[in-house]
Amino acid sequence: NKKRSMQPLHRLSLEDGLTMSFDDAYSADVDIPVRPEWTYGESKSVVEGREAAYFNSWLERLRASDEEVSLYEKNLEVWRQLWRVVEISDILLLIVDVRHPVLHFPPSLYRYITETTGKPLVVVLNKTDLVAENTVQAWMHYFKQRFPAVVLTRFCCYRDEALVDDTAVASMKMRRQRPRRRTHDSRLVGDLFAACRSVCETDKLGLVGWEDLIARYTDKVEEEEDSDSGDESSDGEPDEPVAPNEDADEEAHHGERVSSKYVTLGLVGHPNVGKSTIINSIVRRTVVSTSRTPGHTKHFQTIHVTPTLRLCDCPGLVFPCVVGRPMQVLAGLYNIAQVQEPYTSVQYLAERVPVERVLALHPPADARDPENFVWSAWAICEAFAIDRGFYTSRGARPDVYRASLHILRWVLDGRILLSFKPPGFFRDFAYLKELAKEETQASVRSSDSASESSDTESIQPIAQKSMFALLDEENC
C-alpha cells in the first residue's frame, strides 16, 4: 500500500530476488479446468450444461484451497476458447516470455496437452532480444531438465545488438525506443517451423512442404511500418494467401477434433507474451491486431500460411498460480491502466532492480545526505515524476501515480529490464560451465564490445558494475 511504499527499500540479492522455479509459481493443488468428456450424439445444450457445472465446481475448489491463488480467468467462455483450440490443433505452441518463462508455463497445462490429449507441445521462448544469450540457454537447459520431452525454440521479431550481461545496470534500460519499423527475423521463423516438423505426426508430414517452407524464411528480413498504438491492423495484400478459416466456428460448436485437410498449429499462452506478434511475423504483415492491454484478442482466429498449414491464435488467458499480484502486473497479466495501487508493484521491482540508478534519478533537493540517501518506492516514483515533468493539475505537486504507471509500462515494454533466471544461475558455477559450449558463439560476438567497454570503465564505473555489486555497496 501507499504507506508501505514510503518505507526504505529492502534490497534482495540476485539469488533471492531474480531466480524463479516452478515451485515458486505453481502448486500441485492449483490446476486448470479441462473439458469434460462428451460424445457427438449429445446436444449442444447438454454438453454446455455439463461444462458449466464442472467449471463451477472447479471454481469452488480453488476458492476453498489452502493455497493463496492469484488472479486468474473466471470466464467459462474464455476457457472454452482454449479447449477448442487444443482440440482442433495438431501441434500446440505454448508461447512464453523469456524474461519470466516459468510464470507462463503452467505444469497443469503441459499435462493437459501432452497426457490428456496426447498432442505434441512446442515451447517458444519469445522476446529473446531483451535478454542475454546465457539467460536463454540457461532457461532452455532448465526446461529440458524438468520436462525432458518438451521441444524448445526461440523467437524475437526485433533485431538489436546482443546483450552481454543482462544483470548489468547499463543493460537494464533500453538505449532507445522501439523502432517504428518492425524487422522480422525470418531465420527464427524457420527454426520455429523446424521444431514443428520434428513433432508432426508421420501421416501428416506430407501435407506440408516443410523443407520449402523453412527455406522460404531462411536469411530473409522483412520490414513494415509499425503502428504507434499497436492496436490497428494494416491494410494491403499479404505475401501469401491469408484468410480466416470459414470452418472455424463449425469446428468449435460441433467439436471436430482434428481436420485431415490441414496441419493446424495452435498458439496458446498468457496475455502479452506475443502470440499475435509471432503470427504477424510469420505472415510478414499485420493480420492480427496486437496490444499491450491484456485480453485484446477476444476469440480464437484461424489464419492460413499455406493451403495446408494454418495457425490458430487463442485468446490469452491468465492461468491460476501462486505468485503475488505485483509479479502479475509486471508480467503484463493485469491491465496496468486499471491498477489502482501501483506502488506495491514498483516496490517489488525496486527490491530486485536498482531502478533509481537505471533511470539516473537524483535524491530530493531537501535530502540531508544526498550521497547516502535511502530510497523508497514512493521516492523513486516522486523523483521520476519530477524528472519527466509529471505534475498534478491542482497544487502542481509531482504526479506520483502517473509516474508509477509509467514505470510499470516501461517494464512491460522492456525499456526497464526485469529478467528472472532459473535456480542456481548465480551461485552454481558448474551449472554455468555446462552451458559454456552453447555460449561460445555469443562470447565471440561480445568480445569486441567488452574490450571497448574496458576503455570507458574509468569514465562510467556504475554502468559497468553488476547489479549484485551495486546492492552490496548499499549493504543489502
Side-chain angles (χ1 to χ4, degrees), residues 303-411:
I303 297 164
H304 284 263
V305 179
T306 69
T308 56
L309 178 66
R310 59 183 183 177
L311 308 172
C312 190
D313 183 20
C314 178
L317 70 164
V318 181
F319 304 101
C321 59
V322 294
V323 300
R325 183 176 297 189
M327 184 62 237
Q328 287 190 302
V329 172
L330 291 166
L333 307 186
Y334 191 88
N335 189 357
I336 292 178
Q338 297 178 357
V339 177
Q340 299 180 355
E341 195 279 288
Y343 313 111
T344 302
S345 298
V346 175
Q347 180 171 355
Y348 183 94
L349 170 69
E351 289 173 346
R352 291 156 175 81
V353 175
V355 181
E356 72 282 0
R357 295 183 184 250
V358 173
L359 299 179
L361 301 177
H362 302 287
D366 57 352
R368 294 182 180 180
D369 187 2
E371 294 294 331
N372 299 311
F373 179 74
V374 180
W375 288 91
S376 65
W378 181 271
I380 289 174
C381 296
E382 190 173 37
F384 187 64
I386 296 173
D387 182 69
R388 301 288 294 183
F390 297 157
Y391 293 94
T392 59
S393 57
R394 294 185 180 182
R397 297 190 181 95
D399 194 340
V400 181
Y401 177 75
R402 180 184 176 188
S404 61
L405 294 183
H406 211 78
I407 291 174
L408 296 181
R409 290 192 183 98
W410 275 21
V411 175

Side-chain angles (χ1 to χ4, degrees), residues 92-112:
L92 276 303
L93 305 181
L94 178 56
I95 317 300
V96 301
D97 189 327
V98 74
R99 293 174 292 179
H100 21 69
V102 164
L103 179 62
H104 307 298
F105 188 96
S108 55
L109 177 63
Y110 170 80
R111 292 191 295 269
Y112 170 52

Side-chain angles (χ1 to χ4, degrees), residues 35-62:
R35 190 177 190 183
E37 294 184 0
W38 56 278
T39 62
Y40 286 103
E42 295 175 311
S43 65
K44 177 181 176 182
S45 59
V46 171
V47 172
E48 290 185 345
R50 184 187 299 116
E51 291 175 352
Y54 162 76
F55 187 75
N56 290 333
S57 65
W58 175 78
L59 287 176
E60 291 298 328
R61 180 162 53 84
L62 273 191

Side-chain angles (χ1 to χ4, degrees), residues 72-379:
Y72 59 94
E73 183 59 61
K74 300 178 182 178
N75 186 343
L76 173 58
E77 291 303 319
V78 179
W79 286 102
R80 280 176 171 153
Q81 298 288 318
L82 172 67
W83 296 341
R84 288 160 183 165
V85 168
V86 172
E87 284 185 351
I88 68 174
S89 299
D90 296 281
I91 302 169
L92 276 303
L93 305 181
L94 178 56
I95 317 300
V96 301
D97 189 327
V98 74
R99 293 174 292 179
H100 21 69
V102 164
L103 179 62
H104 307 298
F105 188 96
S108 55
L109 177 63
Y110 170 80
R111 292 191 295 269
Y112 170 52
I113 294 175
T114 60
E115 297 176 9
T116 304
T117 67
K119 296 188 177 181
L121 176 67
V122 175
V123 177
V124 182
L125 299 176
N126 197 21
K127 307 182 184 181
T128 56
D129 53 329
L130 296 179
V131 300
E133 175 66 18
N134 62 347
T135 299
V136 179
Q137 294 294 340
W139 277 120
M140 296 182 79
H141 180 78
Y142 179 70
F143 272 81
K144 277 294 186 183
Q145 280 187 325
R146 292 295 301 265
F147 304 96
V150 75
V151 177
L152 292 155
T153 188
R154 63 173 70 193
F155 195 87
C156 67
C157 67
Y158 291 105
R159 286 180 181 266
D160 203 352
E161 56 187 82
L163 294 179
V164 179
D165 179 13
D166 56 10
T167 62
V169 175
S171 300
M172 289 182 176
K173 183 177 181 180
M174 185 180 291
R175 289 170 288 282
R176 57 182 179 274
Q177 293 186 3
R178 186 180 66 175
R180 289 182 58 84
R181 297 184 69 87
R182 177 184 287 116
T183 303
H184 303 308
D185 195 336
S186 298
R187 293 173 301 176
L188 298 181
V189 175
D191 292 343
L192 189 150
F193 282 142
C196 294
R197 178 188 59 184
S198 68
V199 297
C200 184
E201 294 182 359
T202 306
D203 58 345
K204 281 198 169 185
L205 273 175
L207 279 178
V208 179
W210 291 106
E211 297 295 340
D212 294 339
L213 184 63
I214 294 171
R216 181 193 308 174
Y217 290 94
T218 302
D219 296 330
K220 290 184 180 180
V221 177
E222 299 286 338
E223 290 185 348
E224 70 170 73
E225 289 290 342
D226 196 15
S227 170
D228 288 335
S229 63
D231 292 335
E232 299 295 333
S233 297
S234 63
D235 297 324
E237 293 299 323
D239 295 332
E240 298 294 331
V242 178
N245 180 15
E246 298 178 355
D247 298 332
D249 291 337
E250 182 179 353
E251 291 171 355
H253 291 302
H254 296 288
E256 180 182 342
R257 293 299 177 120
V258 175
S259 173
S260 59
K261 303 176 183 178
Y262 314 99
V263 173
T264 304
L265 309 181
L267 286 79
V268 299
H270 274 147
N272 274 320
V273 293
K275 297 185 296 297
S276 299
T277 301
I278 289 178
I279 291 179
N280 294 335
S281 297
I282 291 173
V283 181
R284 298 172 178 163
R285 68 179 285 268
T286 302
V287 294
V288 180
S289 61
T290 62
S291 173
R292 63 185 174 192
T293 302
H296 179 72
T297 303
K298 303 298 183 183
H299 302 282
F300 78 84
Q301 307 167 73
T302 307
I303 297 164
H304 284 263
V305 179
T306 69
T308 56
L309 178 66
R310 59 183 183 177
L311 308 172
C312 190
D313 183 20
C314 178
L317 70 164
V318 181
F319 304 101
C321 59
V322 294
V323 300
R325 183 176 297 189
M327 184 62 237
Q328 287 190 302
V329 172
L330 291 166
L333 307 186
Y334 191 88
N335 189 357
I336 292 178
Q338 297 178 357
V339 177
Q340 299 180 355
E341 195 279 288
Y343 313 111
T344 302
S345 298
V346 175
Q347 180 171 355
Y348 183 94
L349 170 69
E351 289 173 346
R352 291 156 175 81
V353 175
V355 181
E356 72 282 0
R357 295 183 184 250
V358 173
L359 299 179
L361 301 177
H362 302 287
D366 57 352
R368 294 182 180 180
D369 187 2
E371 294 294 331
N372 299 311
F373 179 74
V374 180
W375 288 91
S376 65
W378 181 271

